[in-house]
């Protein structure tokens, strides 16, 4: 994993807008409709070839495939693993349901949208195991082939995979006798993806919203101690899955849910950071642009990351169509670098993905690229002051 040796590097948190035709096929498949598999493959290839130069043109240094081959950041596993069946509804975040007027407004703005919903989930009714390593290998091979053919200018490339905790927390279990057995089965299956992604020469980003989000979803009415125990167990499962992966090849993305909402029930970063630091990873991705957590970079002053870890700091919000001013971005980067103590260990990124499930993004596609250009320009300004 590269550091910001001479200037602040830029990246993002993974998911990027998908073309409408691809979104439509993913949404139809999620509803249980039959689709043309060959047409889906064609649209995925076309979308991936489109999204890579968009990132480069926007000034992204560390890029990915935009998660174009996936319907959602974790729900795609139901097509790669056994045991998942049916379709139900996951409990909504407690900060949303406590504001009924907001719930109604949200329904009005999201109604009629063709999309894959991260809160419409299957159930585990059988053994969870990875069906065929060729699934993830094909995604990596296709991504590498496009990079080799197009030869875009970039520093590094990454591929995402979910935390075992978000799957075990979000998808109800009707098969395993204990949560820990369910979690371990998911972690064992995901190890196939973790090993393959890094084995193909990509950085691995673990998407772990569960390590913060589940506090106000699954554990909303339970003691803090129970939630922190959950975080400990998930981080332990992650470390067991990463046993064959060098820590410098892994970045851990943690957030409180990529949705516009009150977020006034979010767990403070100070509560979870001591456990997050136990993850055997080379970088932690944290959101510092949204108004609920913008101040929490200060926690890093007395809860330092390990000397060999980078901080990928979210300095761009992914739920608003405001385009941050480069000066604002530069100010955020500078404040964060001062707390970390070494600007070479800071990479500028986004708070979360722009479209964590197909069709559910709140930011218009052309605004996404403008926000990423602003990120690059802000990083340039910060670099001039820090190096």
């Amino acid at each position: 994993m590269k550091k910001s040796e001479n200037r602040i590097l830029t990246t993002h948190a993974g998911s990027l807008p998908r073309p409408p035709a691809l979104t439509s096929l993913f949404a139809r498949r999620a509803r249980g409709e039959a689709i043309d598999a060959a047409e889906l493959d064609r649209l995925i290839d076309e979308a991936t070839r489109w999204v890579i130069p968009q990132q480069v043109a926007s000034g992204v240094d560390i890029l990915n495939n935009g998660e174009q081959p996936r319907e959602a950041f974790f729900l795609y596993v139901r097509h790669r693993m056994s045991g998942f069946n049916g379709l139900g509804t996951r409990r909504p975040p407690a900060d949303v349901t406590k504001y009924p007027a907001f719930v109604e407004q949200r329904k009005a703005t999201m109604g009629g949208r063709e999309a894959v919903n991260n809160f419409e989930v299957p159930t585990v009714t059988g053994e969870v195991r990875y069906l065929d390593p060729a699934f993830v290998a094909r995604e990596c091979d296709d991504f590498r082939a496009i990079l080799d053919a197009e030869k875009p200018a970039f520093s590094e490339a990454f591929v995402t995979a979910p935390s075992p905790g978000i799957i075990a927390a979000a998808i109800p279990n009707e098969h395993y006798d204990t949560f820990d057995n369910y979690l371990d089965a998911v972690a064992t299956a995901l190890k196939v993806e973790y090993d393959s992604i890094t084995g193909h020469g990509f950085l691995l980003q673990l998407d772990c919203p569960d390590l913060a989000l589940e506090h106000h979803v699954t554990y909303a009415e339970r003691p803090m101690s129970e939630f922190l125990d959950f975080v400990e167990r998930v981080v332990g499962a992650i470390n067991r899955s990463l046993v064959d992966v060098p820590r410098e090849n892994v970045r851990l993305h943690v957030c409180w849910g990529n949705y516009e909402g009150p977020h006034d029930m979010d767990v403070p970063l100070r509560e979870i950071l001591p456990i997050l630091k136990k993850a055997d990873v080379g970088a932690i991705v944290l959101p510092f642009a949204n108004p609920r957590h913008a101040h929490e970079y200060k926690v890093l002053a007395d809860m330092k990351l390990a000397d060999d870890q980078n901080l990928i700091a979210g300095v761009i919000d992914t739920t608003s169509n405001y385009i941050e001013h480069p000066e604002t971005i530069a100010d955020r980067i500078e404040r964060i670098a001062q707390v970390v103590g070494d600007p070479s260990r800071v990479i500028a990124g986004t708070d979360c993905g722009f479209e964590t499930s197909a069709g559910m993004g709140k930011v218009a596609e052309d605004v996404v690229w403008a926000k990423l250009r602003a990120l690059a320009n802000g990083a340039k300004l910060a670099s001039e002051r820090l190096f």
Side-chain angles (χ1 to χ4, degrees), residues 276-355:
L276 303 183
K277 289 167 59 180
K278 296 178 183 180
D280 199 10
V281 299
I284 298 182
V285 187
L286 292 169
F288 295 129
N290 74 68
R292 194 69 193 182
H293 297 281
H295 66 292
E296 290 196 301
Y297 71 92
K298 299 173 186 177
V299 172
L300 295 165
D302 59 297
M303 290 186 177
K304 298 287 188 182
L305 299 182
D307 291 341
D308 65 343
Q309 287 181 320
N310 294 338
L311 173 66
I312 301 176
V315 291
I316 290 288
D317 176 63
T318 55
T319 65
S320 163
N321 284 279
Y322 274 104
I323 298 173
E324 292 84 349
H325 196 285
E327 285 285 358
T328 298
I329 295 167
D331 288 347
R332 289 172 177 168
I333 294 170
E334 290 176 75
R335 290 195 297 265
I336 292 165
Q338 184 176 18
V339 168
V340 172
D342 178 1
S344 74
R345 293 173 57 200
V346 176
I347 295 170
T350 62
D351 273 1
C352 196
F354 281 102
E355 192 172 274

Side-chain angles (χ1 to χ4, degrees), residues 100-148:
F102 173 71
V103 172
E104 293 305 311
Q105 183 187 66
R106 195 179 186 198
K107 287 179 181 177
T109 57
M110 298 300 290
R113 178 180 293 201
E114 188 162 46
V116 177
N117 190 333
N118 281 325
F119 282 79
E120 293 178 353
V121 296
T123 299
V124 169
T125 59
E127 180 187 4
V128 174
R129 57 185 176 81
Y130 208 84
L131 293 171
D132 188 345
F135 288 131
V136 63
R138 179 183 177 186
E139 180 179 358
C140 292
D141 288 339
D142 290 349
F143 184 27
R144 178 63 68 190
I146 294 172
L147 292 175
D148 289 346

